[in-house]
């Protein structure tokens, strides 16, 4: 069965849940944040462990997902506060809630299977949906706006940087050539423009995979301000509190790795040691000096987890 024919509502297996929960060490009465609630898989597991007296602050920028999560988490309604927002506003939310310092923060980044498999959301090159890709459908611009309006060089830059696509310039040129004839509005239309450029089918992945990833990251500004956000969120942890981040592509994971190392007082620059200006202030312990990857048993039931990389940091 192709991915887009599956029912998105059936897809809510939380990725690396056992590892994430073990690392968060959820305890009754604790305060936790799930900054990417999605359909609430991880949130539910956290809520089960923090009774009685615990609080979960949950955020997602996708209103539809959050509504589904809200229904799922109803048995714990008294212990959860959900917010439709960008997690970059977590500091504002926590300050306004005036909670005590937080015991743990979870980020399970990227898009959910629910979003990816929902035809009308336009994330998949396998669907003929409108080229949308917004996680937050109240946002003003979508993927079609970028594809039809960005200058060619900017488009090529996005495809190269966020998709790590070697053919970025050729793809951008082909897009600009096609859009001169009329707007590119559908996923399948864009996928076919890209596919035509690849003479040999690449092993394993569809030729449009990298370009679609790049556009999704650009539309949702997924990497912008991530380092600042992680450092700021870390500041809300109590001593001994932990942050756990699950990333799904190397660009995202690189930012997490760098930020965690910095907070743990390690050098993150390329300068010779005599010229290093890294702060070297030890504010945290790296719980995972190397990222944890999914166990084979998990991959057997949830292949979508294959690119997951989990990292955790503990505040001193
Ligand atoms: C991989 S899914 C999370 C799945 C969830 N852990 C579960 O068990 O169902 C990622 C979720 O994060 C949300 N998301 C991604 N970036 C976000 C951001 N900057 N602010 C808020 N939510 C975000 C997406 O809308 C998506 O629902």
């Amino acid at each position: 069965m192709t991915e887009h024919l599956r029912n998105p509502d059936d897809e809510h297996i939380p990725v690396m849940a056992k590892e994430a929960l073990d690392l968060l060490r959820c305890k009754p009465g604790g305060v936790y944040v799930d900054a990417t609630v999605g359909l609430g898989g991880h949130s539910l597991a956290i809520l089960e462990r923090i009774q009685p007296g615990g609080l979960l602050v949950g955020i997602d920028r996708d209103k539809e997902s959050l509504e589904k999560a809200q229904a799922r988490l109803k048995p714990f309604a008294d212990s959860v506060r959900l917010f439709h927002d960008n997690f970059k506003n977590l500091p504002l939310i926590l300050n306004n809630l005036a909670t005590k310092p937080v015991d743990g923060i979870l980020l399970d980044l990227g898009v959910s299977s629910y979003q990816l498999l929902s035809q009308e959301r336009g994330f998949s090159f396998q669907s003929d949906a409108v080229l949308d890709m917004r996680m937050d459908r109240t946002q003003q611009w979508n993927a079609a706006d970028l594809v039809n309006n960005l200058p060619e060089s900017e488009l090529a830059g996005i495809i190269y940087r966020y998709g790590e696509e070697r053919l970025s310039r050729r793809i951008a040129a082909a897009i600009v050539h096609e859009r001169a004839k009329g707007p590119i509005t559908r996923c399948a239309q864009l996928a076919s423009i890209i596919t035509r450029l690849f003479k040999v089918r690449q092993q394993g992945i569809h030729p449009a995979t990298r370009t679609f990833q790049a556009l999704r990251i650009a539309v949702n500004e997924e990497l912008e301000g991530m380092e600042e956000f992680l450092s700021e969120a870390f500041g809300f942890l109590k001593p001994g509190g932990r942050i756990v981040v699950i990333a799904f592509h190397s660009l995202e994971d690189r930012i997490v790795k760098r930020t965690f190392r910095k907070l743990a007082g390690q050098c993150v620059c390329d300068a010779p040691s005599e010229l290093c200006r890294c702060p070297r202030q030890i504010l945290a312990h790296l719980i995972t000096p190397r990222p944890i990857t999914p166990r084979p048993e998990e991959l057997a039931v949830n292949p979508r987890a294959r690119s997951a990389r989990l990292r955790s940091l503990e505040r001193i």
Side-chain angles (χ1 to χ4, degrees), residues 11-15 17 34-44 59-63 65-66 69 72 83-89 106-115 121 123 134-136 216 220-222 224 226 229 246 248 252 304:
E11 306 287 329
H12 44 234
I13 311 172
V15 171
D34 182 351
T36 51
V37 170
L39 296 191
H42 288 108
S43 287
L44 183 64
I59 305 175
D60 204 292
R61 68 202 296 199
D62 182 338
K63 204 157 190 279
S65 298
L66 205 60
R72 197 172 177 200
F83 296 89
H84 173 227
D85 210 333
N86 192 314
F87 60 60
K88 288 171 193 154
N89 288 325
L106 173 66
L107 282 114
D108 175 21
L109 296 168
V111 272
S112 65
S113 308
Y114 167 70
Q115 292 165 323
R121 303 298 296 264
F123 283 103
R134 288 169 303 166
M135 290 185 197
D136 180 352
R216 192 203 87 203
N220 295 292
E221 300 181 324
E222 290 178 38
E224 270 93 337
M226 193 64 188
F229 162 73
I246 306 171
F248 287 86
E252 208 167 57
R304 198 189 83 81

Side-chain angles (χ1 to χ4, degrees), residues 169-187:
R169 288 214 188 106
R170 284 185 57 199
I171 293 173
I175 289 173
V176 168
H177 180 76
E178 283 296 319
R179 77 186 187 193
K181 300 180 204 159
I184 300 166
T185 56
R186 318 215 47 103
C187 295

Side-chain angles (χ1 to χ4, degrees), residues 206-272:
H206 187 285
T209 308
R210 295 197 186 90
T211 303
F212 270 65
Q213 171 184 299
L215 287 171
R216 192 203 87 203
I217 293 174
V219 168
N220 295 292
E221 300 181 324
E222 290 178 38
L223 304 180
E224 270 93 337
M226 193 64 188
E227 182 165 339
E228 294 74 10
F229 162 73
L230 287 171
S231 305
E232 231 185 314
F234 170 81
F236 285 86
L237 287 173
K238 62 164 67 156
R242 289 181 174 182
I243 182 163
V244 171
V245 183
I246 306 171
F248 287 86
H249 54 78
S250 55
L251 300 168
E252 208 167 57
D253 183 53
R254 232 174 276 158
I255 298 175
V256 180
K257 175 174 152 184
R258 183 186 153 83
T259 314
F260 280 12
R261 286 197 172 164
K262 224 174 181 176
L263 290 164
Q266 296 185 3
C267 164
V268 292
C269 73
D270 297 327

